[in-house]
Amino acid sequence: MLKQFIILIFIVYTANIQCQQSYTPQTGELLFQDLDCGEFCDAIEKVTQGYGNKSFSHVGIAFIEDSSIFVIEAGSKGVVKTPFQTFINRSLDSLHRPKVIAGRLKHKYRYLTPSAISKSLNLLGKTYDDAFDITNDKYYCSELVYFAFMDKSGKSIFKLYPMTFIDPTNHKIFPAWERYFESLNIPFPEGKPGLNPGSISRCNKIKIMYSFY
């Protein structure tokens, strides 16, 4: 009986993992990721709560091309097009499931998808925005999403908020960010307009469709 029980548990677990991997994103969906990148990701996740009380430090845009799925994203290498499997396997939980959820624009806003993809593809190769300056021609992950989903009037469907790099538990600048901006020798952007993956994931203009974990 014990052996049969163990086999049953294994079958259920395996089926669950296969089910978790069966979701196929649609073009234009946003993929929110709990990225394990150390102090910086921890700091980003600590200042803004994501959908379902999850923590997200990265976001990309799904794009299907010739039956292959890619993610257009902005990271340290700039704006790039990453294979979907590479993206979701970048950060896994204790059960080896991708720490990613997929969000889709609500029907009212889906007309923006073609232009969002076109804009994103045109930005491939742009430099990463290490200063988090919404006014320059560089892009961090959430900034790419912000500019991609603009309507014809130039207004994004996503909202900007005053950025903070201060630890809410002790009201001091996160040491990682303090070292970071000092190394770049640029003004500290506390309070400047910006946005992060957590705030986008809670936006009422999208619907969360699937969680890989």
Side-chain angles (χ1 to χ4, degrees):
M1 288 294 293
L2 178 59
K3 182 178 180 180
Q4 291 174 334
F5 178 73
I6 293 173
I7 292 174
L8 177 61
I9 292 297
F10 176 76
I11 291 173
V12 172
Y13 172 78
T14 303
N16 181 59
I17 294 299
Q18 291 174 342
C19 180
Q20 289 287 337
Q21 299 293 337
S22 65
Y23 184 78
T24 301
Q26 295 183 6
T27 290
E29 286 189 355
L30 300 178
L31 299 174
F32 301 95
Q33 186 171 55
D34 179 353
L35 191 60
D36 298 322
C37 67
E39 291 181 290
F40 291 107
C41 287
D42 292 342
I44 293 171
E45 294 168 1
K46 196 170 184 178
V47 297
T48 304
Q49 193 67 48
Y51 173 85
N53 293 321
K54 294 184 182 295
S55 298
F56 301 113
S57 48
H58 189 56
V59 61
I61 306 170
F63 171 54
I64 299 177
E65 181 180 46
D66 298 328
S67 300
S68 297
I69 309 173
F70 296 91
V71 181
I72 307 171
E73 58 178 337
S76 59
K77 296 181 180 179
V79 182
V80 297
K81 186 173 69 173
T82 303
F84 174 65
Q85 289 299 326
T86 300
F87 181 92
I88 65 170
N89 289 321
R90 189 183 288 154
S91 182
L92 306 175
D93 68 8
S94 60
L95 295 178
H96 302 287
R97 299 172 301 188
K99 294 196 287 185
V100 173
I101 67 171
R104 184 180 301 168
L105 291 183
K106 291 183 178 179
H107 185 76
K108 179 180 179 180
Y109 304 99
R110 285 182 207 161
Y111 75 94
L112 290 171
T113 296
S115 62
I117 296 300
S118 178
K119 291 174 187 176
S120 300
L121 291 174
N122 286 335
L123 292 175
L124 289 175
K126 288 289 186 179
T127 306
Y128 178 66
D129 188 3
D130 52 7
F132 304 104
D133 183 352
I134 203 77
T135 65
N136 61 20
D137 193 27
K138 301 178 181 181
Y139 300 87
Y140 57 90
C141 66
S142 301
E143 185 179 12
L144 173 66
V145 171
Y146 174 80
F147 281 106
F149 290 94
M150 281 185 166
D151 59 24
K152 290 183 179 180
S153 69
K155 181 179 180 181
S156 179
I157 64 171
F158 298 112
K159 186 178 179 181
L160 297 176
Y161 296 90
M163 292 188 295
T164 183
F165 301 86
I166 295 177
D167 189 334
T169 60
N170 59 21
H171 306 292
K172 295 181 180 180
I173 299 171
F174 286 101
W177 285 125
E178 190 168 22
R179 294 191 300 268
Y180 175 81
F181 289 111
E182 285 180 356
S183 69
L184 293 178
N185 194 30
I186 60 176
F188 194 71
E190 179 70 19
K192 296 290 185 180
L195 68 172
N196 63 33
S199 65
I200 297 176
S201 73
R202 293 184 289 103
C203 179
N204 61 8
K205 297 179 176 65
I206 66 172
K207 179 181 179 181
I208 300 303
M209 303 300 298
Y210 188 80
S211 174
F212 288 85
Y213 71 118

